[in-house]
Amino acid sequence: MKLFAIVLLAFNAAIAASKKVSYAGAKAMRIPVGNEVEPLLDIINQLELPTWKGLANGVPIANSHVDLVVPADKVAEFEKLTASMTTEVMHDDLGASIADEATPFTYQAGSVNETWFNAYHSYADHLQFLNDLVTSFPTQAEIVTAGSSVGSQAITGIHFWGSGGKGSNPAVVIHGTVHAREWITTMTTEYFAYNLLTNYATSTEIKGFVDKYDYYIFPVVNPDGFVYTQTTNRLWRKNRQSPPSGSTCYGTDINRNWPYQWSGAGSSTSACSETYRGVSQGNTPENKGVLAQIDALAADKGVQLYIDVHSYSQLLMTPYGYSCSATTSNNSVLQSLARGAVAAIQAVYGTVFTYGPICSTIYQVAGGSIDYVQDVTKAKHVFTVELRDTGTYGFVLPASQILPSGVEMYAGLRSLLANMV
């Protein structure tokens, strides 16, 4: 079977030259897959189509579906090749959808309120928002960093605490925007911080949550990639590491680079793949920074809860990703907590999430964060989330869904905080 290369040759050239990648006239499509995966795989390879979801080890997952992007100049050939297949349109003009997603918004420094969640924002504004939260709660919050990116940008988060004082309790650690194009994760993790801090003084329940744990929330673990999605390529996923020897393809998938079960299935050795695991385990600066920080917290008061927030697919998952047969020692506890959390999420707007171990719920993932945090960091409760939606919009989620995503996911977090022991 042919080795699947996820990145277009033209796309690589655009990256190397740092030219703006245009998606005008491109289509995002969903292709249902039956038992026979070869016909679709051949089309993907022939047209060199980037995919969003539905591949495992470079191959379409049988009895599932593949979400992919068809560049404007390949639409006619794609339609010809898939004439006998069932196809569904996610974005008829992906460029237009990306333009619509960019709701105009001017952030005024110091204006910490819910209007922040009406639009997506620049990275500079995200940093300002976190600083403004800290300024609003100066005795209860601080800016923290967890190392730096490839481009020497600090990986910036917010740490806040309750009546016991800074550093007095076990940690809750939440990571967002590990994959650069997943903008909704940036906003949702910020909603957690905003909601917990702004309601601390008026909600007995929230005061109890914040008094019990120290919270470390990092809305953008991948700052270089995130900035790149705003300046150059909206759908960029990886970090911005330079190509390894013999390749012209940039970037490593930070969530395939963790130094535990690193070399297994579910990650790629090809630098051109979206799931490229890197030249060695744990070699990305971003990984080194967040790993060192969470391990230090574990060695201090312990890590009670870790959540790695991604999009899209509406899933709440537990370890393991590297194996579909291995089971965590606390699996029954994690599944019970996940079941309660997805019920709480659904109770808000009716949004349905599926829960279970990564490998059996979505696909096999080697070198992922939650397997490391489960077995090496030894955090007590470990989850990864795939936020809205299930494929209507995919990675290009309208700004109108930012606040609903935050509200429903807080309901899930609330369930976890209320039921963890």
PDB file of all heavy atoms in Angstrom, residues 315-331:
ATOM      1  N   LEU A 315     -15.712  14.288  21.345  1.00  0.00           N
ATOM      2  CA  LEU A 315     -15.278  13.095  22.056  1.00  0.00           C
ATOM      3  C   LEU A 315     -14.656  13.505  23.391  1.00  0.00           C
ATOM      4  O   LEU A 315     -13.985  14.533  23.481  1.00  0.00           O
ATOM      5  CB  LEU A 315     -14.231  12.330  21.242  1.00  0.00           C
ATOM      6  CG  LEU A 315     -14.598  11.923  19.822  1.00  0.00           C
ATOM      7  CD1 LEU A 315     -13.368  11.383  19.100  1.00  0.00           C
ATOM      8  CD2 LEU A 315     -15.714  10.892  19.819  1.00  0.00           C
ATOM      9  N   LEU A 316     -14.857  12.682  24.411  1.00  0.00           N
ATOM     10  CA  LEU A 316     -14.157  12.825  25.681  1.00  0.00           C
ATOM     11  C   LEU A 316     -13.454  11.497  25.929  1.00  0.00           C
ATOM     12  O   LEU A 316     -14.105  10.481  26.180  1.00  0.00           O
ATOM     13  CB  LEU A 316     -15.124  13.150  26.820  1.00  0.00           C
ATOM     14  CG  LEU A 316     -14.498  13.283  28.216  1.00  0.00           C
ATOM     15  CD1 LEU A 316     -13.429  14.375  28.236  1.00  0.00           C
ATOM     16  CD2 LEU A 316     -15.559  13.559  29.264  1.00  0.00           C
ATOM     17  N   MET A 317     -12.121  11.509  25.839  1.00  0.00           N
ATOM     18  CA  MET A 317     -11.385  10.252  25.790  1.00  0.00           C
ATOM     19  C   MET A 317     -10.386  10.110  26.934  1.00  0.00           C
ATOM     20  O   MET A 317      -9.922  11.096  27.509  1.00  0.00           O
ATOM     21  CB  MET A 317     -10.681  10.134  24.442  1.00  0.00           C
ATOM     22  CG  MET A 317     -11.656  10.085  23.272  1.00  0.00           C
ATOM     23  SD  MET A 317     -10.836   9.982  21.662  1.00  0.00           S
ATOM     24  CE  MET A 317     -10.135  11.628  21.542  1.00  0.00           C
ATOM     25  N   THR A 318     -10.063   8.861  27.194  1.00  0.00           N
ATOM     26  CA  THR A 318      -9.165   8.487  28.274  1.00  0.00           C
ATOM     27  C   THR A 318      -7.977   7.721  27.697  1.00  0.00           C
ATOM     28  O   THR A 318      -8.003   7.287  26.545  1.00  0.00           O
ATOM     29  CB  THR A 318      -9.912   7.598  29.276  1.00  0.00           C
ATOM     30  OG1 THR A 318     -10.351   6.391  28.605  1.00  0.00           O
ATOM     31  CG2 THR A 318     -11.129   8.314  29.854  1.00  0.00           C
ATOM     32  N   PRO A 319      -6.909   7.533  28.471  1.00  0.00           N
ATOM     33  CA  PRO A 319      -5.829   6.658  28.013  1.00  0.00           C
ATOM     34  C   PRO A 319      -6.368   5.231  27.844  1.00  0.00           C
ATOM     35  O   PRO A 319      -7.344   4.864  28.499  1.00  0.00           O
ATOM     36  CB  PRO A 319      -4.812   6.716  29.154  1.00  0.00           C
ATOM     37  CG  PRO A 319      -5.182   7.940  29.945  1.00  0.00           C
ATOM     38  CD  PRO A 319      -6.660   8.071  29.819  1.00  0.00           C
ATOM     39  N   TYR A 320      -5.817   4.435  26.936  1.00  0.00           N
ATOM     40  CA  TYR A 320      -4.588   4.738  26.233  1.00  0.00           C
ATOM     41  C   TYR A 320      -4.838   5.011  24.753  1.00  0.00           C
ATOM     42  O   TYR A 320      -5.827   4.549  24.188  1.00  0.00           O
ATOM     43  CB  TYR A 320      -3.628   3.561  26.348  1.00  0.00           C
ATOM     44  CG  TYR A 320      -3.073   3.343  27.738  1.00  0.00           C
ATOM     45  CD1 TYR A 320      -3.475   2.238  28.490  1.00  0.00           C
ATOM     46  CD2 TYR A 320      -2.159   4.238  28.296  1.00  0.00           C
ATOM     47  CE1 TYR A 320      -2.971   2.035  29.764  1.00  0.00           C
ATOM     48  CE2 TYR A 320      -1.640   4.023  29.577  1.00  0.00           C
ATOM     49  CZ  TYR A 320      -2.058   2.924  30.311  1.00  0.00           C
ATOM     50  OH  TYR A 320      -1.570   2.732  31.573  1.00  0.00           O
ATOM     51  N   GLY A 321      -3.863   5.735  24.147  1.00  0.00           N
ATOM     52  CA  GLY A 321      -3.877   5.902  22.713  1.00  0.00           C
ATOM     53  C   GLY A 321      -2.953   4.934  22.020  1.00  0.00           C
ATOM     54  O   GLY A 321      -3.212   4.507  20.900  1.00  0.00           O
ATOM     55  N   TYR A 322      -1.858   4.578  22.675  1.00  0.00           N
ATOM     56  CA  TYR A 322      -0.842   3.752  22.018  1.00  0.00           C
ATOM     57  C   TYR A 322      -1.269   2.314  21.817  1.00  0.00           C
ATOM     58  O   TYR A 322      -0.747   1.606  20.965  1.00  0.00           O
ATOM     59  CB  TYR A 322       0.468   3.795  22.808  1.00  0.00           C
ATOM     60  CG  TYR A 322       0.514   2.919  24.037  1.00  0.00           C
ATOM     61  CD1 TYR A 322       0.950   1.595  23.947  1.00  0.00           C
ATOM     62  CD2 TYR A 322       0.124   3.395  25.280  1.00  0.00           C
ATOM     63  CE1 TYR A 322       0.994   0.783  25.074  1.00  0.00           C
ATOM     64  CE2 TYR A 322       0.170   2.599  26.410  1.00  0.00           C
ATOM     65  CZ  TYR A 322       0.610   1.296  26.303  1.00  0.00           C
ATOM     66  OH  TYR A 322       0.650   0.492  27.420  1.00  0.00           O
ATOM     67  N   SER A 323      -2.245   1.843  22.602  1.00  0.00           N
ATOM     68  CA  SER A 323      -2.661   0.446  22.546  1.00  0.00           C
ATOM     69  C   SER A 323      -4.170   0.350  22.717  1.00  0.00           C
ATOM     70  O   SER A 323      -4.759   1.067  23.531  1.00  0.00           O
ATOM     71  CB  SER A 323      -1.972  -0.353  23.656  1.00  0.00           C
ATOM     72  OG  SER A 323      -2.533  -1.656  23.776  1.00  0.00           O
ATOM     73  N   CYS A 324      -4.770  -0.565  21.953  1.00  0.00           N
ATOM     74  CA  CYS A 324      -6.208  -0.819  22.094  1.00  0.00           C
ATOM     75  C   CYS A 324      -6.489  -1.962  23.064  1.00  0.00           C
ATOM     76  O   CYS A 324      -7.653  -2.267  23.346  1.00  0.00           O
ATOM     77  CB  CYS A 324      -6.826  -1.139  20.736  1.00  0.00           C
ATOM     78  SG  CYS A 324      -6.893   0.288  19.616  1.00  0.00           S
ATOM     79  N   SER A 325      -5.451  -2.588  23.573  1.00  0.00           N
ATOM     80  CA  SER A 325      -5.644  -3.686  24.517  1.00  0.00           C
ATOM     81  C   SER A 325      -5.210  -3.334  25.938  1.00  0.00           C
ATOM     82  O   SER A 325      -5.736  -3.876  26.909  1.00  0.00           O
ATOM     83  CB  SER A 325      -4.890  -4.938  24.045  1.00  0.00           C
ATOM     84  OG  SER A 325      -3.506  -4.668  23.903  1.00  0.00           O
ATOM     85  N   ALA A 326      -4.246  -2.427  26.078  1.00  0.00           N
ATOM     86  CA  ALA A 326      -3.806  -2.029  27.412  1.00  0.00           C
ATOM     87  C   ALA A 326      -4.914  -1.235  28.111  1.00  0.00           C
ATOM     88  O   ALA A 326      -5.667  -0.490  27.471  1.00  0.00           O
ATOM     89  CB  ALA A 326      -2.542  -1.187  27.322  1.00  0.00           C
ATOM     90  N   THR A 327      -5.011  -1.399  29.414  1.00  0.00           N
ATOM     91  CA  THR A 327      -6.044  -0.732  30.211  1.00  0.00           C
ATOM     92  C   THR A 327      -5.408  -0.078  31.423  1.00  0.00           C
ATOM     93  O   THR A 327      -4.571  -0.686  32.090  1.00  0.00           O
ATOM     94  CB  THR A 327      -7.105  -1.736  30.682  1.00  0.00           C
ATOM     95  OG1 THR A 327      -7.664  -2.410  29.551  1.00  0.00           O
ATOM     96  CG2 THR A 327      -8.220  -1.032  31.434  1.00  0.00           C
ATOM     97  N   THR A 328      -5.784   1.138  31.722  1.00  0.00           N
ATOM     98  CA  THR A 328      -5.243   1.819  32.890  1.00  0.00           C
ATOM     99  C   THR A 328      -5.774   1.166  34.170  1.00  0.00           C
ATOM    100  O   THR A 328      -6.873   0.599  34.184  1.00  0.00           O
ATOM    101  CB  THR A 328      -5.627   3.309  32.901  1.00  0.00           C
ATOM    102  OG1 THR A 328      -7.049   3.424  33.063  1.00  0.00           O
ATOM    103  CG2 THR A 328      -5.209   3.985  31.611  1.00  0.00           C
ATOM    104  N   SER A 329      -5.006   1.297  35.240  1.00  0.00           N
ATOM    105  CA  SER A 329      -5.414   0.707  36.513  1.00  0.00           C
ATOM    106  C   SER A 329      -6.669   1.371  37.073  1.00  0.00           C
ATOM    107  O   SER A 329      -7.413   0.759  37.841  1.00  0.00           O
ATOM    108  CB  SER A 329      -4.271   0.812  37.531  1.00  0.00           C
ATOM    109  OG  SER A 329      -3.925   2.178  37.737  1.00  0.00           O
ATOM    110  N   ASN A 330      -6.906   2.621  36.677  1.00  0.00           N
ATOM    111  CA  ASN A 330      -8.093   3.349  37.152  1.00  0.00           C
ATOM    112  C   ASN A 330      -9.135   3.519  36.056  1.00  0.00           C
ATOM    113  O   ASN A 330      -9.916   4.479  36.063  1.00  0.00           O
ATOM    114  CB  ASN A 330      -7.686   4.708  37.718  1.00  0.00           C
ATOM    115  CG  ASN A 330      -7.054   5.624  36.666  1.00  0.00           C
ATOM    116  OD1 ASN A 330      -6.571   5.150  35.634  1.00  0.00           O
ATOM    117  ND2 ASN A 330      -7.043   6.921  36.932  1.00  0.00           N
ATOM    118  N   ASN A 331      -9.156   2.604  35.110  1.00  0.00           N
ATOM    119  CA  ASN A 331     -10.034   2.746  33.950  1.00  0.00           C
ATOM    120  C   ASN A 331     -11.510   2.881  34.346  1.00  0.00           C
ATOM    121  O   ASN A 331     -12.236   3.696  33.777  1.00  0.00           O
ATOM    122  CB  ASN A 331      -9.871   1.558  33.006  1.00  0.00           C
ATOM    123  CG  ASN A 331     -10.729   1.689  31.765  1.00  0.00           C
ATOM    124  OD1 ASN A 331     -10.567   2.599  30.972  1.00  0.00           O
ATOM    125  ND2 ASN A 331     -11.684   0.775  31.603  1.00  0.00           N
TER     126      ASN A 331
END
